[in-house]
Amino acid sequence: MTRVGVVTFPGSLDDRDALRAVRLAGGEGVALWHDDPDLQGVEAVILPGGFSYGDYLRCGAIARFAPVMESIVKAAGDGMPVLGICNGFQILCEAHLLPGGLTRNHHLHFRNRDQWLRVESVTTAWTGRFDAGQNILIPLKSGEGSYVADEKTLDLLESSGRIVARYVPGKGLAEGDHNPNGSLRDIAGITNEAGNVVGLMPHPEHAVEALTGPSVDGLGFFTSVLSALSGKVSA
């Protein structure tokens, strides 16, 4: 069974949810601790949502220096799939595994709602089970979720197919209110050049069961990485 690690930082909120999502997808979830550099032989890593180290300084700024991150940065460089969700996305940017950064929502309010996304790239380790252009519905909950980067970086992400998902209009959203945080170019998630590291602001781990989620669309991120690691990726 494929082992997928989920890191717990002080202030993590969604680590158990991510572990459950891995199990529902058919993998073995392995709890990793922020202060321990040992990745315990996992084949992929998830940095979950929450408020690591209380979000002091900047979101993810302290977590970037956790002992476990030294191992994750090296493993990511060697091709290990890494997914950062919400606060995890912020940590990936602080660790320079992904370009740009996440800033305060443009309206300066915490936004919590079910959010429509369009999957733009299905060539990453975390999106291979989706169809290009597929619309999915998963929860979003963040106060600092606005993705920003300079124009050169944004153009590069566009031209190289590294925008993983965008915010799009959908049922239940007011007209013109599809972008929940002011992210440039409606970006909800991006990937690195190799496609193994993905940052996503909404929370797929909260859309894996019909009983509790607005859909089961989020499960595709977890089944995708299991398929990628078994060499059976299909769109």
Side-chain angles (χ1 to χ4, degrees):
M1 185 176 292
T2 302
R3 291 163 53 85
V4 179
V6 178
V7 179
T8 297
F9 298 96
S12 291
L13 297 179
D14 302 301
D15 43 346
R16 291 183 180 273
D17 302 79
L19 286 167
R20 180 172 178 78
V22 170
R23 290 196 296 271
L24 289 172
E28 177 184 354
V30 179
L32 302 178
W33 186 239
H34 70 107
D35 200 35
D36 186 352
D38 183 5
L39 297 184
Q40 301 183 37
V42 300
E43 298 173 67
V45 170
I46 297 170
L47 305 181
F51 304 90
S52 58
Y53 297 92
D55 276 351
Y56 289 111
L57 300 182
R58 290 184 312 276
C59 298
I62 298 176
R64 178 260 182 273
F65 293 102
V68 73
M69 286 304 299
E70 297 181 19
S71 301
I72 291 172
V73 169
K74 182 180 184 303
D78 292 336
M80 177 182 284
V82 178
L83 174 66
I85 303 170
C86 196
N87 189 228
F89 188 1
Q90 296 161 343
I91 294 169
L92 291 177
C93 289
E94 289 288 341
H96 306 297
L97 287 174
L98 293 174
L102 287 305
T103 64
R104 289 290 303 276
N105 295 346
H106 71 289
H107 43 66
L108 303 182
H109 295 287
F110 190 92
R111 183 58 63 88
N112 181 6
R113 73 185 192 189
D114 296 333
Q115 178 66 49
W116 286 97
L117 309 176
R118 183 174 63 241
V119 180
E120 302 279 30
S121 173
V122 296
T123 61
T124 81
W126 299 91
T127 55
R129 296 296 295 272
F130 292 104
D131 295 322
Q134 181 178 344
N135 284 3
I136 62 175
L137 180 65
I138 62 178
L140 174 139
K141 48 176 186 173
S142 57
E144 299 188 37
S146 180
Y147 180 76
V148 297
D150 59 71
E151 287 297 310
K152 182 178 179 181
T153 298
L154 292 169
D155 288 342
L156 177 61
L157 292 174
E158 294 266 17
S159 63
S160 58
R162 290 170 53 189
I163 296 176
V164 171
R166 294 186 201 268
Y167 302 114
V168 294
K171 183 179 179 181
L173 299 180
E175 185 176 353
D177 187 38
H178 67 279
N179 187 324
N181 47 40
S183 283
L184 298 179
R185 305 193 189 184
D186 295 332
I187 291 173
I190 62 172
T191 186
N192 65 341
E193 186 174 0
N196 62 305
V197 178
V198 167
L200 187 71
M201 186 48 55
H203 287 261
E205 77 280 13
H206 296 323
V208 295
E209 294 179 285
L211 178 65
T212 57
S215 73
V216 294
D217 294 342
L219 195 61
F221 289 92
F222 305 98
T223 57
S224 288
V225 76
L226 298 181
S227 292
L229 290 169
S230 66
K232 299 178 182 178
V233 172
S234 60

